[in-house]
Amino acid sequence: MTDAVDRPRPRRATTRLEEVARAAGVSKSTVSRVINGEPYVSTRAREAVGQAITRLGYSPNQAARTLAGSRANCVALVVSEPGSRVLADPFFAGVLRGVHAELAGRRVQLVLMMSKEGDEQDLVNYLCGGHVDGVLVISLHGQDPLPRVLADAGLPTVVGGRPLGAAGVPYVDSDNFTGALEAARHLVTSGRRRIGTIAGPRDMAVGMDRLAGWKRGMGQARVPADLVAHGDFTPESGAAAMAELLALDPSLDAVFVAADIMALGALQVLHARGKRVPEDVAVVGFDDLVIAATAVPPLTTVRQDVERLGRTMTRRLMSELAGEENLPPFLLLPTSMVTRVSA
C-alpha cells in the first residue's frame, strides 16, 4: 500500500461519541458503557456523561439509538497479500480458524478481505463506510499506512504481528525473537558450527525479529553469522535461498529457516544435492504448521500457536468494541521448540 491513501472522515456515530466524551472528560468507551447501562462505571463518570448528553442536546435514548444504529455486527479480517497466496499458505488458514472460533456464539459476522495494490482507497472506503464495527489486519509489509488510517478514522483496529508503520495501534504477535534465539541455541548445542539462515522478508517485522534472534544466538555462541539468505514465505523462495547458501559455503552443516513453508523448499534442494538431513545438514523451521510433521524428514521447528494468535487478536478487538478500558497496547504470545528428526 502507498502513503497516497486519503484518510476518510470518521463515521457520524463515532463523532457523536467523541463529542460526548470530550464534553464529559471521559473516554469513548465510558460513554458507550453509560449509554448501554453497563456496570463498572463510577457515579461521577455516569453523571458527567448524562450532563454532557443533555448539554449537547441529546437525550439518553437518542444517544443509545445512535450508538445501536452504528453497529454492523460484523468485523473484517484484512490480509495484505494476494488471494492466491492466502489460499495456499496454511498460516493464514490457522489464523482464520482462530478468528472464527473466537467469534462463534457472538452473533458477529466475519468478512475476509485480501488487499492488493491499486485497491487501497476502495478498501478504506468500504471499511470506514459503516459495514464493519472493527478490523483485524495481518501480514503487513513495510510502512503500510492502513492500520493508522483506520484507527485515525475512529474504527477499532488490531494488527496481527508488530506493525512497522502504525505506532499506537494495538497488536498481537508471537515472540519471534526468542523463538529464533532458541532455534539457534538448539543447533549450536547439537554440535553444528557452520550455521546459515533463510530469513523472512526484509520489509516485515516478523522477518526482522526472527533474523535478529538467530543473530543473537550466533553471537552468544561466538559462531559466525555471515550465511544469510532471504525468502518471502513461499516454498519457491526457500528453495532459491537454500541454493544460495550452499553456493556461499558448501560446508554448511545447519540452517534455521524462518518459516516451515520455506523449509519445505529448502529440504527439496538438500535432497536434490545429495545432502542427508540431519546427518549432513540439520534443518530447523518456524511455525509448527501441519506440514512440519509430514515433511521428509519430519521437521524440528519453533512452535507458535497460530490459532491462538487469531483468537487473541479477535478477543482484543471485541473487548475494545465492548467498551473495556485499560486494554494492553500489545500482547506477545510465547513460542516453544518442537524437536523431530531434521535437527
Side-chain angles (χ1 to χ4, degrees), residues 76 78 127-128 132-138 140 145-160 166 168-172 313 316-317 320-321 329:
V78 178
L127 294 173
C128 294
V132 300
D133 300 316
V135 184
L136 305 166
V137 184
I138 59 173
L140 290 171
L146 178 63
R148 184 75 268 160
V149 169
L150 298 178
D152 287 349
L155 189 62
T157 302
V158 176
V159 178
V169 178
Y171 70 90
V172 180
M313 290 171 58
R316 173 62 174 77
L317 179 64
E320 183 171 347
L321 290 174

Side-chain angles (χ1 to χ4, degrees), residues 195-202 207-208 210-211 214-215 225-233 236-249 252 254-259 262 266:
I195 304 170
T197 186
I198 298 176
R202 293 178 175 88
M208 298 176 183
R210 292 178 188 179
L211 178 58
W214 173 81
K215 285 184 175 180
D226 57 320
L227 294 177
V228 180
H230 288 267
D232 64 358
F233 294 148
E236 295 78 13
S237 70
M242 189 70 253
E244 181 182 342
L245 291 177
L246 290 173
L248 288 171
D249 190 346
L252 174 145
V255 60
F256 164 58
V257 189
M262 291 197 298

Side-chain angles (χ1 to χ4, degrees), residues 8-318:
R9 294 174 61 84
R11 293 172 296 172
R12 182 164 177 78
T14 302
T15 303
R16 289 189 175 185
L17 278 182
E18 289 174 345
E19 290 173 356
V20 173
R22 188 162 49 247
V26 299
S27 67
K28 288 191 298 181
S29 58
T30 297
V31 175
S32 172
R33 294 172 79 168
V34 170
I35 290 173
N36 285 309
E38 296 178 8
Y40 310 116
V41 179
S42 69
T43 301
R44 181 178 178 181
R46 201 177 295 277
E47 291 175 351
V49 170
Q51 291 171 3
I53 287 173
T54 301
R55 190 160 62 250
L56 291 170
Y58 305 142
S59 72
N61 287 340
Q62 287 172 330
R65 281 198 298 271
T66 298
L67 180 64
S70 72
R71 288 299 175 94
N73 292 321
C74 181
V75 298
L77 172 62
V78 178
V79 187
S80 295
E81 301 285 355
S84 58
R85 172 75 177 278
V86 174
L87 297 175
D89 192 329
F91 170 84
F92 297 116
V95 172
L96 183 58
R97 283 195 299 271
V99 173
H100 184 267
E102 187 62 31
L103 289 177
R106 292 181 183 265
R107 296 183 178 178
V108 174
Q109 297 298 313
L110 175 67
V111 56
L112 175 63
M113 307 184 74
M114 286 159 279
S115 173
K116 59 184 178 181
E117 188 174 354
D119 73 347
E120 295 95 340
Q121 190 58 57
D122 288 342
L123 178 66
V124 170
N125 290 343
Y126 178 87
L127 294 173
C128 294
H131 304 288
V132 300
D133 300 316
V135 184
L136 305 166
V137 184
I138 59 173
S139 202
L140 290 171
H141 291 262
Q143 302 288 321
D144 193 325
L146 178 63
R148 184 75 268 160
V149 169
L150 298 178
D152 287 349
L155 189 62
T157 302
V158 176
V159 178
R162 180 171 64 88
L164 296 176
V169 178
Y171 70 90
V172 180
D173 202 1
S174 295
D175 191 350
N176 295 299
F177 179 90
T178 301
L181 173 62
E182 291 301 316
R185 288 173 174 169
H186 177 83
L187 291 170
V188 169
T189 56
S190 67
R192 310 290 171 156
R193 287 296 177 267
R194 202 63 182 113
I195 304 170
T197 186
I198 298 176
R202 293 178 175 88
D203 66 345
M204 298 183 75
V206 60
M208 298 176 183
D209 293 345
R210 292 178 188 179
L211 178 58
W214 173 81
K215 285 184 175 180
R216 175 69 63 83
M218 295 294 98
Q220 289 177 347
R222 292 185 169 82
V223 174
D226 57 320
L227 294 177
V228 180
H230 288 267
D232 64 358
F233 294 148
T234 62
E236 295 78 13
S237 70
M242 189 70 253
E244 181 182 342
L245 291 177
L246 290 173
L248 288 171
D249 190 346
S251 69
L252 174 145
D253 64 1
V255 60
F256 164 58
V257 189
D260 292 347
I261 197 164
M262 291 197 298
L264 294 185
L267 288 171
Q268 290 176 352
V269 170
L270 291 171
H271 294 326
R273 301 288 182 87
K275 299 284 189 180
R276 298 171 300 165
V277 178
E279 293 85 355
D280 300 324
V281 180
V283 179
V284 174
F286 202 114
D287 288 330
D288 195 30
L289 303 174
V290 174
I291 56 176
T294 58
V296 181
L299 188 64
T300 293
T301 187
V302 179
R303 174 174 172 76
Q304 66 163 333
D305 193 332
V306 177
E307 290 191 28
R308 183 182 178 187
L309 179 68
R311 292 190 72 126
T312 306
M313 290 171 58
T314 308
R315 191 176 302 123
R316 173 62 174 77
L317 179 64
M318 299 309 294

